[in-house]
Amino acid sequence: LMLYRTSARIFQKKILRAPVFPKKFQEAQRIMKASFNGLWYKFSVVSDTINGVLKPFCHYIFISISVCLPNYIEIVYCVDFQLIETIFISTGSNPDDIDLVIVATSTPDYQFPSIASILCDKLGLKNAFAFDMSAACCGFLYMMETAANFIRSGRYKKVIIVGADKMSSIVNYTDRATVRLFGDGAAAFMMEPTTEELGVMDAMLRTDGKGLPFLHLKAGGSVCPPSYFTIDNHMHYLYQEGRTVFKYAVSNMSDISAAIAEKNNLTKDTIDWVVAHQANLRIIDAVAHRLEVPHEKVLINIDRYGNTSAGTLPLCIWDFEEKLKKGDNLIFTAFGAGFTWGAVYVKWGYDGKKQ
């Protein structure tokens, strides 16, 4: 994992690198690794009660600089455009060299066209193809493995992946069970090939469609198109059965984290950090307990930003980057609507000392 910094901007760039399989694959070792630079766009929500209605107060946070703004993310593709444009500037990358753009989101600006296609136009990416993917809070894990496999094919050299969600657009501000849980956030990466013995070493991703009744957005799709009825009955907001989702999240995140650790011969002594989806502290504690990892090895920032969906994992890395050392073993894990869940094993590639 290689780190680049620029004093001209208050952004940090990290490039996510994935391997290209050698021509003689049968004679080569199976090396799965990646290094990444990124740009984090942070967001948190503080709420207050006025006349029985939760009134949102918003804070956009650029790295360590906190600025109070009067609104949430307004247009998702505009935020993504700023993220990627900054990566180009800080890396000196040529837009013509980008082969692929993927955006993971549950809150696109439009049903179609995709946010990724809009970004290609706004950024002037003439040689890239693009698409959106939906994996809810697992978007970061799914997208990282998807992009890495495009690169491993040997046909793609530079891939941009973006995780972006405007959760404020689908949260009911009168629903105390969900309104305080979510925030808006986005993160962008550029992925490239590498042959270093560092980075993404393994990934295990799962899906089970039985989660539909417990976590979904009722209206707006072809099953229940928008109408006066759906609007009057608040059917365009996120619906969640918290206890059921909690049960499945604890079980699945814990099981798959233990499975990827066992598969890669990792123990409580060799696991350096656990990076779990920031949705519920008890879920995070359960994952750590299953891995027998002490609390000091678990990265937690849910108290600062809440659940930013696909943005939670990279935001967590940014906040605790200075603790990371080259060669550290990290386990990333997440759970989202679907149900979707997974775990990724990363061997950290640089000493994360902030300057």
Side-chain angles (χ1 to χ4, degrees), residues 18 32 35 39 48 75 79 93 137 140 156 172 177-178 180 212 220 233 245 272 276 294 320 330:
M32 301 180 64
S35 59
L39 167 76
D48 189 22
I75 304 175
V79 174
S93 299
C137 295
F140 180 80
Y156 308 93
N172 184 348
T178 59
R180 298 179 184 272
L212 170 62
N233 287 274
V245 173
D272 296 293
F320 296 96
L330 281 66

Side-chain angles (χ1 to χ4, degrees), residues 4 50 161 202 250 270 281 301 332 354:
Y4 300 84
I50 298 179
I161 58 175
D202 199 4
V250 168
T270 56
L281 186 57
N301 65 358
F332 292 77
K354 293 184 180 179

Side-chain angles (χ1 to χ4, degrees), residues 50 65 130 174 184 332:
I50 298 179
I65 308 300
T174 64
D184 297 351
F332 292 77

Side-chain angles (χ1 to χ4, degrees), residues 226-262:
S227 66
Y228 287 114
F229 177 82
T230 63
I231 294 174
D232 291 342
N233 287 274
H234 302 152
M235 297 172 66
H236 293 269
Y237 294 125
L238 178 151
Y239 173 80
Q240 175 175 261
E241 292 187 16
R243 291 185 178 180
T244 302
V245 173
F246 172 83
K247 179 182 70 173
Y248 280 105
V250 168
S251 174
N252 290 321
M253 285 177 64
S254 299
D255 288 347
I256 204 162
S257 296
I260 201 169
E262 181 179 1

Side-chain angles (χ1 to χ4, degrees), residues 123 125 162 170 204 224 272 290 327 351:
L123 292 164
L125 307 184
V162 182
I170 59 172
M204 299 177 68
C224 189
D272 296 293
R290 178 66 178 276
D351 294 328

Side-chain angles (χ1 to χ4, degrees), residues 201-204 206 253-271 287 290-293 329-331 343-345:
M201 310 301 289
D202 199 4
M204 299 177 68
R206 299 290 184 267
M253 285 177 64
S254 299
D255 288 347
I256 204 162
S257 296
I260 201 169
E262 181 179 1
K263 180 181 177 183
N264 291 278
N265 299 314
L266 297 173
T267 68
K268 61 181 180 180
D269 298 319
T270 56
I271 295 173
V287 172
R290 178 66 178 276
L291 293 171
E292 298 182 345
V293 173
N329 293 316
L330 281 66
I331 290 183
V344 174
Y345 164 40

Side-chain angles (χ1 to χ4, degrees), residues 46-50 53-57 180:
V46 179
S47 298
D48 189 22
T49 303
I50 298 179
V53 177
L54 289 170
K55 178 181 178 182
F57 295 88
R180 298 179 184 272

